């Protein structure tokens, strides 16, 4: 079909380019595949990493580029309606009319004054975002880990502070904390087998391998468990829950649990471990206490919101869902929770009302996003990766000063 469309409009300047994301060892098969399927188009060899700046999660993804090289159409626009969408946009594109570009994202509902605080372009898709909250007078830092295995650090205002390529290409997740209490954050990069603790320059302090062939590795949270001013990393490997000190040493290890599905740290004396449908609390020494509650059905406990007269408010998710994040978006002192899904970010208040609804046009994957207090004012900001747009901080936009108004 696309070849027929190209043939019809070729004299008007339409060109069809096929992009191969095959592994190098499979590229020799391309000519035979084209011949077998009667395909006659130019094929560009992008390799398994694809083309930098173009985000897609599946083959058969189509982008449309105008005469000036600007993005005019992206994959999700063409799902189940390629001919209809191309028929709508091609006449203007071929006539050379200015491209308005696709609507990459839009805010459907939000608190008053909520909008974009800053944006930084990205040339590679992110795998994780982490916030290092300021301590000892320092401002927060934003860290990102991308598919090119770069650890980037940004200031709270979105200024790129450092960009380091990590040696270990298996790392996909990122957390941040001041582990040793010196006021400078450490960065904890991890995958499903273990973690590495790094400084801002990417130097590896130490590595922990928690590989278990039957279960994946998980970081449950970070807290000062022994009261010495340094913070421990609580991890799960299979059915074993351990607390790792800020140096490469284990503070304690609990190997008596069975069927462990998850661990969440909510303070030095509140480490919640879910075994089957039962969620039990461990104390700061890793010992099981008498406190427990039941998870509904096959749901996974992901954290507590608040305590009410009727008891604690707890957040659960189904095992197939994306993990929810919590923060105080509207500054009322109560935790709100963020739900991510393909093409959407929604922030709910505890009463179930929607505080923020953000639609993202590229809906092949769930957006990467975290809550963060970037300015020290009431209400958290939201740091989110928007495909084909960049790393964005959203929050209450401060009113313009007289000098700013005069410069407009």
């Amino acid at each position: 079909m696309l070849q027929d469309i190209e043939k019809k409009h070729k004299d008007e300047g339409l060109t069809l380019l096929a992009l191969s994301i095959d592994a190098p060892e499979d590229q020799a098969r391309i000519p035979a595949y084209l011949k077998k399927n009667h395909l006659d188009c130019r094929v560009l060899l992008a390799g398994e990493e694809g083309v930098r700046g173009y985000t897609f999660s599946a083959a058969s993804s189509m982008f449309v580029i105008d005469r000036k090289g600007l993005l005019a159409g992206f994959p999700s626009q063409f799902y189940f309606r390629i001919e209809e969408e191309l028929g709508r946009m091609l006449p203007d594109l071929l006539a050379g009319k200015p491209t308005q570009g696709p609507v990459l994202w839009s805010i459907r509902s939000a608190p008053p004054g909520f909008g974009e605080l800053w944006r930084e372009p990205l040339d590679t898709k992110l795998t994780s975002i982490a916030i290092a909250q300021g301590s000892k007078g320092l401002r927060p830092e934003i860290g990102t880990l991308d598919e090119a295995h770069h650890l980037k650090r940004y200031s709270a205002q979105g200024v790129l502070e450092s960009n380091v390529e990590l040696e270990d290409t298996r790392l996909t997740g990122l957390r941040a904390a001041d582990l040793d209490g010196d006021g400078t954050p450490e960065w904890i990069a991890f995958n499903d087998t273990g973690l590495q603790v790094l400084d801002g320059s990417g130097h590896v302090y130490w590595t922990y391998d928690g590989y278990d062939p039957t279960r994946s590795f998980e970081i449950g949270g970070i807290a000062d468990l022994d009261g010495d001013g340094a913070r421990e990393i609580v991890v799960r490997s299979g059915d074993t829950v351990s607390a790792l000190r800020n140096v490469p040493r284990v503070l304690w290890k609990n190997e008596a649990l069975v069927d462990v599905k998850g661990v969440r740290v909510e303070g030095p004396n509140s480490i919640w471990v879910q075994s089957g449908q039962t969620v039990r609390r461990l104390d700061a020494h890793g010992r099981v206490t008498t406190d427990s509650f039941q998870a509904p059905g096959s749901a996974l406990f992901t954290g507590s919101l608040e305590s009410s007269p009727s008891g604690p408010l707890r957040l659960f998710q189904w095992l197939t869902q994306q993990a929810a994040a919590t923060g105080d978006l509207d500054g009322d002192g109560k935790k709100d929770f963020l739900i991510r899904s393909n093409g959407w970010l929604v922030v709910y208040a505890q009463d179930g009302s929607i505080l923020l609804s953000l639609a993202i046009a590229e809906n092949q994957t769930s957006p990467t996003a975290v809550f963060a207090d970037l300015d020290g004012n009431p209400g958290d900001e939201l740091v989110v990766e928007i495909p084909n747009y960049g790393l964005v901080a959203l929050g209450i936009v401060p009113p313009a000063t007289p000098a700013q108004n005069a410069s407009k």
Side-chain angles (χ1 to χ4, degrees), residues 184 306 360 378:
T184 302
E306 307 290 342
I360 298 176

Side-chain angles (χ1 to χ4, degrees), residues 263-322:
V263 56
R264 292 293 179 271
V265 177
E266 296 187 336
N269 288 292
S270 293
I271 304 169
W272 295 100
V273 178
Q274 182 168 342
S275 300
Q277 291 180 246
T278 303
V279 184
R280 297 178 171 86
R281 184 174 67 84
L282 306 185
D283 64 15
H285 304 283
R287 298 172 300 205
V288 177
T289 70
T290 57
D291 293 338
S292 67
F293 56 89
Q294 294 297 113
S298 60
L300 180 66
F301 172 68
T302 61
S304 301
L305 296 177
E306 307 290 342
S307 292
S308 66
S310 59
L313 300 177
R314 296 184 172 114
L315 186 61
F316 298 88
Q317 69 180 51
W318 303 118
L319 297 179
T320 56
Q321 291 176 326
Q322 297 285 346

Side-chain angles (χ1 to χ4, degrees), residues 158-212:
V159 177
L160 181 63
E161 302 285 356
S162 68
N163 180 1
V164 181
E165 184 174 1
L166 302 184
E167 292 185 7
D168 192 335
T169 60
R170 301 170 300 167
L171 302 169
T172 57
L174 192 65
R175 299 285 289 269
D178 180 7
L179 296 179
D180 53 13
D182 67 351
T184 302
E186 281 72 48
W187 299 92
I188 305 152
F190 60 94
N191 56 16
D192 60 357
T193 66
L195 61 82
Q196 290 184 353
V197 177
L198 310 98
D199 64 12
S201 65
H203 171 74
V204 179
Y205 288 131
W206 54 273
T207 298
Y208 177 80
D209 184 3
Y211 179 66
D212 184 319

Side-chain angles (χ1 to χ4, degrees), residues 125 133 152 225 246 249 266:
K125 181 175 173 56
Q133 294 294 351
K152 295 182 181 180
L225 302 181
N246 65 296
R249 193 174 61 179
E266 296 187 336

Side-chain angles (χ1 to χ4, degrees), residues 165-406:
E165 184 174 1
L166 302 184
E167 292 185 7
D168 192 335
T169 60
R170 301 170 300 167
L171 302 169
T172 57
L174 192 65
R175 299 285 289 269
D178 180 7
L179 296 179
D180 53 13
D182 67 351
T184 302
E186 281 72 48
W187 299 92
I188 305 152
F190 60 94
N191 56 16
D192 60 357
T193 66
L195 61 82
Q196 290 184 353
V197 177
L198 310 98
D199 64 12
S201 65
H203 171 74
V204 179
Y205 288 131
W206 54 273
T207 298
Y208 177 80
D209 184 3
Y211 179 66
D212 184 319
T214 62
R215 298 283 183 86
S216 61
F217 176 83
E218 174 191 14
I219 296 179
I222 302 167
D224 182 4
L225 302 181
D226 55 7
D228 65 352
R231 305 177 74 187
E232 283 72 46
I233 310 170
V234 178
V235 301
R236 173 180 72 91
S237 180
D239 288 337
T240 300
V241 177
S242 306
L244 311 178
R245 297 182 61 87
N246 65 296
V247 293
R249 193 174 61 179
V250 176
L251 177 65
W252 51 256
K253 181 180 293 187
N254 187 320
E255 298 178 293
L257 302 163
V258 294
D259 191 23
V260 177
K261 299 184 181 300
V263 56
R264 292 293 179 271
V265 177
E266 296 187 336
N269 288 292
S270 293
I271 304 169
W272 295 100
V273 178
Q274 182 168 342
S275 300
Q277 291 180 246
T278 303
V279 184
R280 297 178 171 86
R281 184 174 67 84
L282 306 185
D283 64 15
H285 304 283
R287 298 172 300 205
V288 177
T289 70
T290 57
D291 293 338
S292 67
F293 56 89
Q294 294 297 113
S298 60
L300 180 66
F301 172 68
T302 61
S304 301
L305 296 177
E306 307 290 342
S307 292
S308 66
S310 59
L313 300 177
R314 296 184 172 114
L315 186 61
F316 298 88
Q317 69 180 51
W318 303 118
L319 297 179
T320 56
Q321 291 176 326
Q322 297 285 346
T326 59
D328 183 8
L329 186 73
D330 53 3
D332 65 353
K334 297 180 179 180
K335 286 185 180 180
D336 311 308
F337 53 98
L338 167 71
I339 301 296
R340 303 183 296 122
S341 61
N342 290 9
W344 287 93
L345 286 176
V346 181
V347 178
Y348 293 91
Q350 293 185 21
D351 62 4
S353 61
I354 294 177
L355 297 176
L356 172 68
S357 177
L358 178 69
I360 298 176
E362 181 50 75
N363 59 13
Q364 294 189 359
T365 57
S366 296
T368 303
V370 294
F371 280 113
D373 180 9
L374 300 179
D375 56 12
N377 296 323
D380 287 343
E381 286 68 50
L382 191 63
V383 181
V384 55
E385 176 196 17
I386 298 180
N388 305 312
Y389 188 74
L391 182 68
V392 182
L394 302 171
I396 303 300
V397 179
T401 65
Q404 290 172 325
N405 287 325

